[in-house]
Amino acid sequence: MILFLGTKPGKTTSKLLQNVACPYCGNKDTLTAVTSTTYFHFFWISLFRVGSFSSISCSHCKRTYYQDEFTEEMQRGIDTGKSLEQTN
Ligand SMILES: [Zn+2]
């Protein structure tokens, strides 16, 4: 028997982190946070959000930071940052 339930990826949002300096190259306004959410679905109908995953990348030095490497400044930038519309 096949159960048509599980998880599927939801929307991906990008945010420009304003006034946050990259810890690696020191440039400001080069960091973009990408957050993807995962939804629990039943027959491909999204029921609820099961989690989200964020990563931040620097457009200058191309470094990518994962959640355990986020600084307080980065976290604040995600909370207050400007969303860039993105669909997937
Ligand atoms: Zn950088």
Side-chain angles (χ1 to χ4, degrees):
M1 183 179 160
I2 300 162
L3 288 172
F4 295 99
L5 50 85
T7 55
K8 67 173 184 175
K11 257 218 300 219
T12 301
T13 53
S14 300
K15 265 184 185 182
L16 187 68
L17 305 189
Q18 289 171 303
N19 288 312
V20 179
C22 171
Y24 190 74
C25 67
N27 282 282
K28 277 192 175 182
D29 300 332
T30 57
L31 298 171
T32 307
V34 178
T35 305
S36 346
T37 45
T38 305
Y39 287 87
F40 184 81
H41 74 84
F42 180 69
F43 285 92
W44 297 282
I45 298 163
S46 297
L47 296 179
F48 51 86
R49 207 172 90 160
V50 288
S52 64
F53 176 80
S54 302
S55 67
I56 292 177
S57 54
C58 175
S59 62
H60 183 82
C61 64
K62 311 291 177 203
R63 233 202 106 126
T64 301
Y65 300 92
Y66 297 99
Q67 262 161 326
D68 57 344
E69 301 172 295
F70 289 4
T71 63
E72 254 178 63
E73 213 181 7
M74 286 171 167
Q75 199 59 61
R76 205 165 44 237
I78 292 177
D79 296 339
T80 59
K82 185 165 71 171
S83 285
L84 312 166
E85 269 316 306
Q86 192 181 318
T87 50
N88 63 346

